[in-house]
Amino acid sequence: MHNSHSSSDSASELSRSDMLEARDLDVQAVDEIEKLTGRHPSYRRAHAKGACYQATFQPSGEAAAWTTAPHLQGQQIEALVRFSESSTDPALADLLSPAKGMAVQFRLPEGQVSNLVAVTVPVFFARTPESFMDMLKAVNKARAGNLGIKEIIHQITGHFGEAKESLLSVQRLRPPASYVTNLYYCIHAYLLVNEAGQRQPVKFEWLPEAGVHMLSIKDTTSQPPDYLERELDERLQQHPAAFRLNIIIGEEGDPTDDPTTSWPENRQRIDAGRLVLTAPVQEPEGLVMNPTILPPQGMELSDDPILNFRRSAYAESWRRRSHEAAEGNDKEQGKDS
């Protein structure tokens, strides 16, 4: 009995230690992200610049055999879409931020939500939270040495082989004609759970119904800093814009724990439904597009360490920006009084 009690205490202490270490890593990671372009109070620490749009999602029903998730059955639901630039600087011009983001929040029955976060590159640059941290530190050190972006990319790919596919994808990106003429990849694997409790590894991608269109070199010279938001607002005054949601079915050997590696192109794809954007909306206060927020049933996180790390990293970013916003409000009230 004594030995059992002792091992239980040790396990408890180990668990607390791991939690503290993970929490500390979150704080360090957000610190390093802030060093990339400096602190921008009240803004997200990544994808700081963005615009929100109201939308509806009509599931095709084709995913129902794979999952009991309510937004992938047959009933149309409301959704919120946030397009964003990848930079940590909210003032950076659209043309200068290569990768774009598309975060979708499905409004589930009974007030619940489920998030799906995607970007215009198919893979992430780091395999683990630790290597993510190491790369951020290396980038900040290189920037302090006044290295150019091409030199930094060369240095990172030389030291961190896992980053090569992602950084090459970023280098190949061209400025899109619109937020809705991009293909967006949800870089993490998830598990769909069906009625029998069977789990299926999957990935997601958003296909633009308008097709993939990029700006010509000539067109890039005349674009305002926020051309993407302007273009989409004008487009939606004429007609809605839409995406199809593809679910990619993983097979034996496809990694679920490595977001730096693509699955083979020949994997089965299911057309899971149609997302229709209707109008721009003000970003709701307190919106956090955390990709680990899932429906209450039918979908689970994979063993991807970066995906699981994002839960606490997003929380740390939110804690900081909400605290800064509250401080700003206090200062404004002080001016008025």
Side-chain angles (χ1 to χ4, degrees):
M1 283 293 290
H2 178 74
N3 288 338
S4 170
H5 179 72
S6 174
S7 63
S8 172
D9 283 351
S10 298
S12 174
E13 285 170 12
L14 182 63
S15 174
R16 281 196 296 271
S17 173
D18 290 346
M19 286 171 62
L20 286 170
E21 187 177 333
R23 190 183 309 146
D24 190 44
L25 194 60
D26 305 336
V27 173
Q28 290 180 56
V30 177
D31 286 345
E32 291 299 323
I33 290 170
E34 286 180 349
K35 292 176 187 175
L36 293 172
T37 63
R39 284 182 69 242
H40 301 283
S42 304
Y43 284 94
R44 284 171 170 79
R45 268 37 190 186
H47 293 268
K49 181 182 182 182
C52 288
Y53 297 84
Q54 66 184 28
T56 58
F57 181 69
Q58 178 60 62
S60 66
E62 289 186 33
W66 302 88
T67 177
T68 58
H71 63 301
L72 295 174
Q73 302 307 304
Q75 183 181 349
Q76 178 175 292
I77 61 169
E78 298 297 315
L80 178 73
V81 180
R82 184 179 188 267
F83 292 106
S84 62
E85 308 300 314
S86 56
S87 175
T88 61
D89 182 356
L92 193 68
D94 294 351
L95 287 171
L96 299 178
S97 184
K100 312 301 178 189
M102 176 180 171
V104 180
Q105 184 167 92
F106 301 96
R107 304 290 173 82
L108 307 180
E110 300 178 14
Q112 295 167 312
V113 299
S114 182
N115 294 337
L116 205 52
V117 176
V119 288
T120 51
V121 290
V123 291
F124 197 55
F125 59 86
R127 187 178 294 126
T128 66
E130 290 76 17
S131 61
F132 176 63
M133 274 290 301
D134 289 343
M135 282 185 227
L136 286 176
K137 288 178 178 178
V139 168
N140 283 323
K141 186 176 179 181
R143 283 168 58 87
N146 294 317
L147 290 184
I149 186 65
K150 287 186 178 178
E151 293 169 301
I152 291 175
I153 289 175
H154 179 72
Q155 193 174 99
I156 294 299
T157 53
H159 285 88
F160 303 94
E162 67 198 71
K164 189 171 183 180
E165 187 178 347
S166 177
L167 294 180
L168 286 176
S169 296
V170 170
Q171 286 184 296
R172 287 193 291 263
L173 289 174
R174 290 164 49 211
S178 170
Y179 274 135
V180 297
T181 63
N182 268 321
L183 174 60
Y184 293 90
Y185 307 88
C186 304
I187 56 177
H188 302 292
Y190 289 86
L191 303 177
L192 293 184
V193 186
N194 67 12
E195 205 162 6
Q198 296 168 315
R199 286 165 173 77
Q200 171 62 50
V202 298
K203 288 188 177 182
F204 298 89
E205 60 188 13
W206 291 105
L207 280 60
E209 286 195 355
V212 175
H213 300 287
M214 302 296 151
L215 291 180
S216 66
I217 294 174
K218 180 183 174 183
D219 287 339
T220 60
T221 61
S222 58
Q223 300 301 328
D226 57 349
Y227 82 93
L228 287 169
E229 185 176 348
R230 291 191 190 191
E231 189 283 334
L232 186 48
D233 289 358
E234 290 171 10
R235 181 186 290 253
L236 294 179
Q237 287 175 11
Q238 306 299 319
H239 51 76
F243 288 85
R244 309 295 307 196
L245 177 62
N246 263 1
I247 297 179
I248 305 164
I249 305 299
E251 295 183 11
E252 189 73 32
D254 292 341
T256 57
D257 63 349
D258 184 1
T260 69
T261 304
S262 297
W263 288 356
E265 274 299 312
N266 64 356
R267 292 296 176 256
Q268 178 187 354
R269 282 167 163 78
I270 297 169
D271 179 354
R274 185 171 187 250
L275 180 75
V276 179
L277 282 70
T278 52
V281 291
Q282 189 73 26
E283 180 167 327
E285 188 175 345
L287 178 68
V288 179
M289 290 294 201
N290 185 332
T292 69
I293 296 176
L294 303 181
Q297 62 188 50
M299 193 171 166
E300 296 175 357
L301 300 178
S302 68
D303 54 351
D304 180 341
I306 290 286
L307 174 59
N308 286 274
F309 176 67
R310 289 177 79 169
R311 181 196 303 274
S312 44
Y314 273 58
E316 175 62 18
S317 171
W318 163 244
R319 186 191 67 76
R320 294 189 190 196
R321 64 184 171 101
S322 59
H323 179 69
E324 291 157 356
E327 279 189 336
N329 288 336
D330 289 344
K331 287 177 182 176
E332 285 300 315
Q333 289 173 3
K335 287 179 186 177
D336 294 340
S337 58

